[in-house]
Amino acid sequence: MISHLCGVNIKNILICLFGFLTPLVLMSQGAYSDTLILDEMLNMVAEETVITATRADRSLSNVTVPTSIIKDKTIQNAGMVKLSDVLQEQSGIVVTASAGSSAIGGGVFGNGVQIQGMNPDYTLIMLDGEPITGRQGGVLDLTRFAVGNIQKVEIVKGPSSSLYGSEAMGGVINILTDQRRQNLTKLSLRYGSFQTWDFFGSINKELGRSSLYAFGHYNRSNGYDLTPETNIKTIDPHKDVAFQIKWTYRFSERTRLVWSNRFFNGIQTSLFSINNETLTINGNGATTDLNINPVVYHRWNDKINSTLRLYGSLYRYDQSLLQEDGGTYYADDFIHQYYRLEQQNDWEIKKNIQLVVGAGYNHQIVETNRYNKIQNQHISYAFSQAEIKVNKNLTVVPGLRYDVNSDYASRLSPKLSAQYKINQKSRINASYGGGFKAPDFRQLYLSYANPAAQGYRIFGANEFSVSAMEKELANGTISRILPEAYNITTLLPEISHGFNLGYHYQASAQVWTWEINLFYNDIQNLINYLPVAVQPNSTYVFSYKNTKRAFTSGIECNVSGLIGKKITWNAGYQFLFTGEQATVKSLMEDKVFGRKSPTGSAEIMSLRDYTGLLGRSPHMANVKCEYTFPKQNFSINARAIYRGRWGVVDLDGNGFANMNEEFATGFVNMNLTAQKTIKKIYTVQLNALNVFNHKDEINTPNVAGTHFMATFICQFSNL
C-alpha cells in the first residue's frame, strides 16, 4: 500500500513537471545577451559570489548578512569524504550526533547542525537551492551526502526566514553541486580504517547547447565500536551508493533548462544480542532518497529575469530486525514525500535598486508507524526583498515573507539588513530577522520507543505520558524519572527575533583578513528537546517542551592570512551564552537551588553557576594551517577543532547543568593530511584523523577513535 501510494505521487509529479516546463521553453525567442549563462560559469568569475544570502548572485564582499564559503579545493585538500566531515571543521558550527547502530535507532536520526546555538531544527540544509528532506528527530543524516560532486558550500548564519521560511530561523547551508562548462573526468579511490572503501567518478561534458554532469559514488565500511565490552556496535556496517545527473540545455540566449536527478541508497547491517544473552538479532536498515529538480531560467530583457523551480523528493527509511528463529523483533518504516513549485523574478528597477519577488507552494506527506496516522502539511508563501544602494558606501536590504500554514496561523517574517563600507579595506554589516516556527510532526506525534531498550527514545509532546514512565519505572525499563518529565505540556508555536552586527577588515594584497560578528537570538516559546528519564544503561528518554523565553547570544571571530608564499592559515573562535530568561531572573533573585554533587546538599545557585541551555558549548575554536611546497607539488594540511564541555542532562531539577556528572567532556580533534600531485593529473593523499583519539560513545558517537585513510585521485581534461 505504501509503495503504491509513493509510486502514484511520483508519477503525478513527473506529469506536472513536464506540463509546466513545456510552455515555458517554447516561449523562448529573440537574441539578448545571456547574463544567466555567463553567471553559471562560477569558476570563471574573478570575485567569489554567493546566491544563498539574497536569492540572487552577489559578490561576497557586498552581502549584508554573515556568510561564508567552503570551496571544493578546500574540501579536496583536507581529504574529506562526507558532508558531516566538512561542516564539523567550520567556525561556530556544531555537528550534533546520535549513535549509529540500527539496534538503537541511530541509523534513523543521524547528525544535525547547530548554528549560533540554535537547535538543528532551525538550520535549513539545501541541495542546489532545494530543501533536503528526510528529517527524523529534527535532524538529517549528513552521511547521505558525499563531497565529490560539491563545487562549494555556502553558509548563512542568523535568521533567514524572510527568504526561506521557518526552518531557516538559525541559518542556511546550501550545497551547490558541480555545473562547470568544461570537459573533465575525475576518479577517486580511498581506503581506510574499519575496512572503509570509498570510490567516486564524475564526468563533465560540453555538448554544444547542452552540458552534462554525471556523478557516481560508492562507500562501504565495517563500522566501529567505541565500547568493545558491549555486543552492539557504535556505528553499524554500512554500504552506500549515490548517483547524480545534471543536464543543462540552452534553448536560446535567453532561456535554459537545468534538470537534476539524484538517487541515494544506503544499507546498514545489524547483528547483536540482548543483554549478552544468546538471543541473536539481525537485520538491515535501508535508506532510499530520490530527488527530481528541473529549473527553467528565462531572461525577459536586460532588467528582468525569471526562475521557475520544480522539485519532487521521496525519502524512505525501512528497517527490519529479525530474531534467531526468524520472527520479527522490530520493524520500522518512514516515508517523507515533498513537492514544491516556486516562481522567482529578479528586477533591476534602477542601477541602485534591485528587487526579488516570488511565490511558491509545497506539500509534505509523512507516513510512518511512529505516528498514529498519515500526516499532511500544505504551505503557500510569497516573499520579496529589495537591495537599495543609498550611495557608494551604504546598502540597505529590506525583505518580507508571508507563510500560510495548514496547521497553524499565517505568519509574516520581516528582515532588514545593511552594509556600510568604511573604505576599500573594511566594512560593517548589521541585520535583523524575524522568524516563525510551528511545532512539526515529530515534536507533536513522534513515538519512537525501541523495544531493545538499549538506546535513547524520543516522544512527541502529545504522545508523552508521565503515568507511562511511572509504569516503566516500576518494571525496571527505566531507572529514574527526571523532574522535567512533569513539565511536558501542549506545545505552542515559536517566534524569534535575531540580530547580527559584524565588522570585516581585509589587508592589502589579501595578506590577512579579520572579521568579528556579534549575534543575539531571542526565541519565545522555544521548543527544546530534553531528557525526561534515564534508562538502566545510562541513555535517556527525551521529549519536547516550550521554554517561556530563551536566547542564544555570543561573538564569533575569524582570522586568516598568508605567511610568505607557502603557508596559509586561518583560526576561528566562538563564545556562546544561552539561557532561559525566567531562569536568569530567578538566579539574580536567589531563587534557584542546586547541588554541586549528586549526593550533596541543596544550595542557592548564582548567575555564575548558570551554564545555559543543554547541548551548547560556551567555547569553540579551530585552527587550520596548510604548508605548500610548490616545486614538489606537495602540501601538508593540519586542522585542530576544539569544543568545550557542554551540559547534557539536568539531574537536580533546576533547569540547567551545574554538576560535573551533568556535562560531556570537552575535547580537541586533530586531523592531518599530506598530499602529493604528480604531472597535474594524479594526486595521492594520506590522512590521519582524530589524532588525539577522542572517544565518547554516549555524547559524540560520530567521532571514531584515531583512524587513517589513503586516497588516490586522477583528473583528466579535454576528454
Side-chain angles (χ1 to χ4, degrees):
M1 176 65 181
I2 291 176
S3 300
H4 175 71
L5 175 65
C6 294
V8 170
N9 279 320
I10 290 294
K11 179 180 178 181
N12 288 344
I13 194 170
L14 284 171
I15 294 173
C16 293
L17 294 181
F18 279 107
F20 278 110
L21 288 171
T22 302
L24 282 169
V25 297
L26 289 176
M27 70 183 180
S28 60
Q29 57 184 346
Y32 288 87
S33 175
D34 188 5
T35 304
L36 290 172
I37 293 179
L38 295 177
D39 288 346
E40 75 180 68
M41 298 159 57
L42 296 175
N43 280 5
M44 300 181 66
V45 178
E47 184 177 359
E48 194 67 51
T49 63
V50 295
I51 192 171
T52 310
T54 61
R55 278 184 173 262
D57 214 16
R58 296 288 184 270
S59 298
L60 181 60
S61 61
N62 292 330
V63 172
T64 58
V65 294
T67 304
S68 59
I69 297 173
I70 309 170
K71 300 178 183 179
D72 56 348
K73 183 179 179 182
T74 301
I75 295 172
Q76 177 177 309
N77 289 353
M80 298 172 180
V81 178
K82 298 287 188 176
L83 179 62
S84 54
D85 302 331
V86 177
L87 297 178
Q88 68 186 3
E89 293 192 359
Q90 307 309 309
S91 296
I93 291 182
V94 175
V95 177
T96 62
S98 61
S101 172
S102 296
I104 58 175
V108 181
F109 298 111
N111 310 120
V113 179
Q114 186 188 101
I115 297 179
Q116 293 188 351
M118 302 284 279
N119 277 340
D121 317 44
Y122 311 131
T123 301
L124 176 62
I125 302 179
M126 301 191 298
L127 182 68
D128 290 326
E130 300 294 347
I132 294 173
T133 59
R135 284 182 182 265
Q136 300 186 64
V139 300
L140 291 162
D141 183 5
L142 301 178
T143 60
R144 285 158 49 194
F145 303 96
V147 301
N149 61 336
I150 293 179
Q151 187 167 345
K152 63 178 176 177
V153 179
E154 297 180 354
I155 302 173
V156 179
K157 297 179 179 178
S160 298
S161 296
S162 64
L163 287 177
Y164 296 105
S166 64
E167 281 190 6
M169 280 172 53
V172 178
I173 297 173
N174 193 6
I175 308 158
L176 299 173
T177 58
D178 209 326
Q179 197 178 346
R180 285 171 281 202
R181 296 180 63 181
Q182 58 181 307
N183 294 322
L184 185 68
T185 300
K186 190 173 183 179
L187 301 172
S188 171
L189 177 65
R190 287 187 173 98
Y191 179 76
S193 302
F194 319 120
Q195 296 187 36
T196 300
W197 287 95
D198 186 89
F199 170 81
F200 78 78
S202 65
I203 298 175
N204 294 74
K205 191 69 176 177
E206 184 71 12
L207 304 167
R209 290 190 173 190
S210 297
S211 298
L212 178 67
Y213 174 73
F215 171 80
H217 177 251
Y218 173 82
N219 178 273
R220 64 161 294 173
S221 172
N222 277 1
Y224 57 83
D225 193 355
L226 299 179
T227 54
E229 65 274 11
T230 67
N231 48 35
I232 299 178
K233 281 195 171 185
T234 306
I235 297 294
D236 275 337
H238 63 270
K239 178 172 60 178
D240 304 333
V241 293
F243 300 97
Q244 182 190 25
I245 295 178
K246 184 181 289 188
W247 175 61
T248 302
Y249 187 80
R250 299 162 189 85
F251 293 90
S252 72
E253 292 183 339
R254 293 193 299 172
T255 306
R256 79 176 188 272
L257 164 68
V258 178
W259 189 297
S260 181
N261 294 343
R262 178 182 178 273
F263 172 79
F264 170 87
N265 180 257
I267 302 291
Q268 279 183 314
T269 303
S270 292
L271 178 64
F272 61 95
S273 59
I274 304 300
N275 298 326
N276 294 317
E277 297 178 359
T278 58
L279 174 62
T280 300
I281 306 299
N282 68 85
N284 294 324
T287 301
T288 303
D289 187 11
L290 173 65
N291 310 130
I292 302 173
N293 181 210
V295 183
V296 176
Y297 301 89
H298 184 71
R299 187 170 184 83
W300 298 96
N301 53 46
D302 292 338
K303 302 291 184 181
I304 301 176
N305 304 322
S306 291
T307 304
L308 176 66
R309 311 183 68 94
L310 299 107
Y311 181 59
S313 175
L314 170 64
Y315 171 89
R316 179 170 185 169
Y317 178 81
D318 184 16
Q319 184 178 27
S320 178
L321 300 178
L322 303 177
Q323 299 179 22
E324 195 171 20
D325 60 6
T328 299
Y329 174 73
Y330 179 70
D332 185 26
D333 199 0
F334 179 91
I335 294 176
H336 184 190
Q337 301 175 67
Y338 184 98
Y339 308 117
R340 184 167 83 149
L341 167 66
E342 181 182 278
Q343 172 71 33
Q344 177 180 319
N345 301 288
D346 304 339
W347 181 19
E348 185 180 344
I349 301 174
K350 296 180 180 180
K351 287 186 177 181
N352 63 329
I353 301 178
Q354 296 182 347
L355 181 67
V356 175
V357 294
Y361 165 81
N362 68 57
H363 177 207
Q364 299 187 62
I365 306 168
V366 176
E367 182 176 1
T368 173
N369 52 10
R370 299 177 208 153
Y371 299 163
N372 293 325
K373 64 178 182 179
I374 298 175
Q375 302 290 344
N376 283 267
Q377 184 182 73
H378 304 265
I379 298 177
S380 300
Y381 59 91
F383 58 88
S384 176
Q385 179 173 275
E387 182 176 312
I388 305 168
K389 295 185 180 298
V390 179
N391 53 47
K392 67 178 183 179
N393 295 327
L394 178 62
T395 301
V396 178
V397 181
L400 287 173
R401 177 178 168 120
Y402 186 71
D403 286 271
V404 180
N405 190 310
S406 61
D407 294 332
Y408 280 85
S410 303
R411 182 70 185 179
L412 186 68
S413 300
K415 170 191 174 181
L416 179 63
S417 61
Q419 179 185 92
Y420 183 77
K421 292 186 176 180
I422 301 172
N423 50 47
Q424 292 183 345
K425 296 181 179 180
S426 58
R427 58 183 183 269
I428 296 174
N429 290 342
S431 62
Y432 158 77
F436 168 80
K437 189 176 188 302
D440 58 30
F441 300 143
R442 159 191 62 90
Q443 294 165 336
L444 294 173
Y445 306 114
L446 182 65
S447 181
Y448 182 73
N450 191 337
Q454 293 295 312
Y456 63 81
R457 294 183 287 165
I458 304 181
F459 294 94
N462 289 12
E463 302 296 329
F464 178 77
S465 168
V466 172
S467 61
M469 290 291 103
E470 290 174 342
K471 290 180 180 178
E472 290 199 39
L473 181 64
N475 63 31
T477 307
I478 62 173
S479 60
R480 183 179 179 185
I481 298 176
L482 299 175
E484 285 293 354
Y486 300 93
N487 297 325
I488 304 300
T489 60
T490 302
L491 293 178
L492 301 173
E494 300 167 292
I495 299 173
S496 72
H497 303 277
F499 304 86
N500 283 267
L501 177 63
Y503 173 78
H504 179 94
Y505 177 85
Q506 181 171 304
S508 301
Q510 298 185 355
V511 175
W512 68 280
T513 61
W514 177 72
E515 60 183 11
I516 184 171
N517 185 62
L518 302 169
F519 59 88
Y520 180 83
N521 297 291
D522 179 87
I523 310 104
Q524 299 176 30
N525 301 325
L526 173 72
I527 299 174
N528 200 17
Y529 79 93
L530 71 170
V532 291
V534 183
Q535 299 181 117
N537 64 347
S538 299
T539 57
Y540 302 108
V541 178
F542 296 91
S543 190
Y544 300 88
K545 80 162 194 173
N546 293 106
T547 53
K548 293 181 180 180
R549 190 174 181 181
F551 64 90
T552 71
S553 61
I555 181 171
E556 181 181 332
C557 302
N558 290 284
V559 184
S560 61
L562 301 172
I563 301 177
K565 297 181 179 180
K566 295 183 178 182
I567 300 177
T568 60
W569 63 274
N570 61 74
Y573 169 76
Q574 177 183 274
F575 171 74
L576 181 68
F577 181 61
T578 66
E580 186 180 339
Q581 302 282 14
T583 302
V584 172
K585 182 179 179 181
S586 296
L587 284 165
M588 297 176 67
E589 296 173 351
D590 296 330
K591 294 181 179 180
V592 179
F593 291 83
R595 293 180 171 87
K596 294 299 177 72
S597 67
T599 58
S601 59
E603 56 185 89
I604 295 177
M605 298 280 102
S606 68
L607 194 58
R608 182 180 301 176
D609 299 310
Y610 191 49
T611 55
L613 302 174
L614 297 178
R616 280 80 171 175
S617 297
H619 304 282
M620 290 182 59
N622 64 75
V623 178
K624 305 172 187 178
C625 183
E626 183 170 357
Y627 195 104
T628 304
F629 302 85
K631 293 183 179 180
Q632 292 79 20
N633 292 319
F634 178 75
S635 65
I636 299 175
N637 188 306
R639 294 99 59 204
I641 302 96
Y642 167 73
R643 182 181 181 187
R645 74 171 191 165
W646 65 99
V648 294
V649 64
D650 170 27
L651 296 175
D652 54 4
N654 57 14
F656 59 94
N658 52 271
M659 296 183 286
N660 289 333
E661 291 80 3
E662 297 174 321
F663 288 91
T665 305
F667 64 95
V668 175
N669 196 343
M670 171 71 79
N671 300 321
L672 302 173
T673 303
Q675 177 174 282
K676 169 71 174 177
T677 300
I678 305 170
K679 297 182 179 180
K680 299 183 179 180
I681 296 177
Y682 308 105
T683 300
V684 178
Q685 283 184 346
L686 296 175
N687 292 75
L689 306 174
N690 193 6
V691 173
F692 297 149
N693 200 29
H694 167 73
K695 294 181 181 180
D696 185 343
E697 184 189 38
I698 299 298
N699 299 298
T700 57
N702 60 319
V703 181
T706 301
H707 56 288
F708 305 91
M709 285 195 313
T711 307
F712 175 75
I713 304 170
C714 59
Q715 181 171 293
F716 305 92
S717 59
N718 300 320
L719 292 181

